[in-house]
Amino acid sequence: LAPPSPIALGRDVRGPVPLDARDITAVNALYRADAGPRLTREYLTGGLYYGMWEADRLVAIAGTQLFRPGHGIAVVANVLTHPRYRARGYATACVGAVTQGLLDQVPDVVLNVHPENLPAVHAYRKLGYRGVGYIGEAWACWKGRNWLDRMTAQVLHWLMG
């Protein structure tokens, strides 16, 4: 894997830089901007995450969905650029940094991307990724057996964002 090419950064843009538990508020604010996941401090520190900052605002991120050095594998995921900052190479730079950091620790790094997300597929190919197959993903929601179960499920859904 070649390191990501330098990208044209604005005057106040820096990165990709490693993220840690101190960045959790900025991370979740970015994900809320595009209906992304909500992470905990433990999730953030248990993996490897890189971000791009404009001044004090996190504008792009990439990280891990699975990181198991003992098993020799990691999965790159949770890639997002704020809608107003897209098409500048920020996510590609973050994915490149995460991928390089993972390859320093495990022999196999994978990611999944919807094949119709052509900008992402193109960016990942530039980083050296290649298609190897298709997987299926689905969301499941348990509605419960009674009104208390349903209310609990709704409250948990609301709390998780």
Side-chain angles (χ1 to χ4, degrees):
L1 177 76
S5 302
I7 56 178
L9 300 177
R11 191 172 39 159
D12 294 327
V13 178
R14 69 186 196 291
V17 297
L19 301 174
D20 60 32
R22 294 171 296 195
D23 301 310
I24 193 68
T25 301
V27 167
N28 285 325
L30 173 58
Y31 284 136
R32 274 194 309 275
D34 198 46
R38 180 171 179 239
L39 301 184
T40 64
R41 283 181 171 79
E42 293 78 19
Y43 195 88
L44 190 63
T45 58
L48 183 63
Y49 280 80
Y50 277 82
M52 299 291 294
W53 295 86
E54 181 180 74
D56 62 349
R57 181 180 189 173
L58 186 65
V59 298
I61 189 171
T64 51
Q65 181 176 19
L66 173 78
F67 181 42
R68 299 291 183 262
H71 292 99
I73 191 164
V75 178
V76 176
N78 301 324
V79 179
L80 179 69
T81 300
H82 189 283
R84 290 191 300 236
Y85 295 86
R86 292 187 176 154
R88 300 180 191 183
Y90 294 172
T92 302
C94 290
V95 170
V98 169
T99 302
Q100 188 60 59
L102 293 171
L103 286 172
D104 290 342
Q105 301 178 59
V106 297
D108 293 316
V109 176
V110 298
L111 63 79
N112 67 18
V113 60
H114 195 287
E116 293 176 12
N117 185 349
L118 297 180
V121 169
H122 178 71
Y124 299 150
R125 283 188 180 143
K126 286 186 351 186
L127 291 171
Y129 284 97
R130 60 182 173 82
V132 295
Y134 292 93
I135 61 171
E137 290 189 42
W139 286 91
C141 183
W142 178 66
K143 291 296 185 184
R145 297 176 296 274
N146 57 43
W147 70 270
L148 183 58
D149 287 343
R150 288 189 294 279
M151 182 185 302
T152 302
Q154 186 62 42
V155 167
L156 288 173
H157 176 74
W158 176 77
L159 289 172
M160 294 305 290

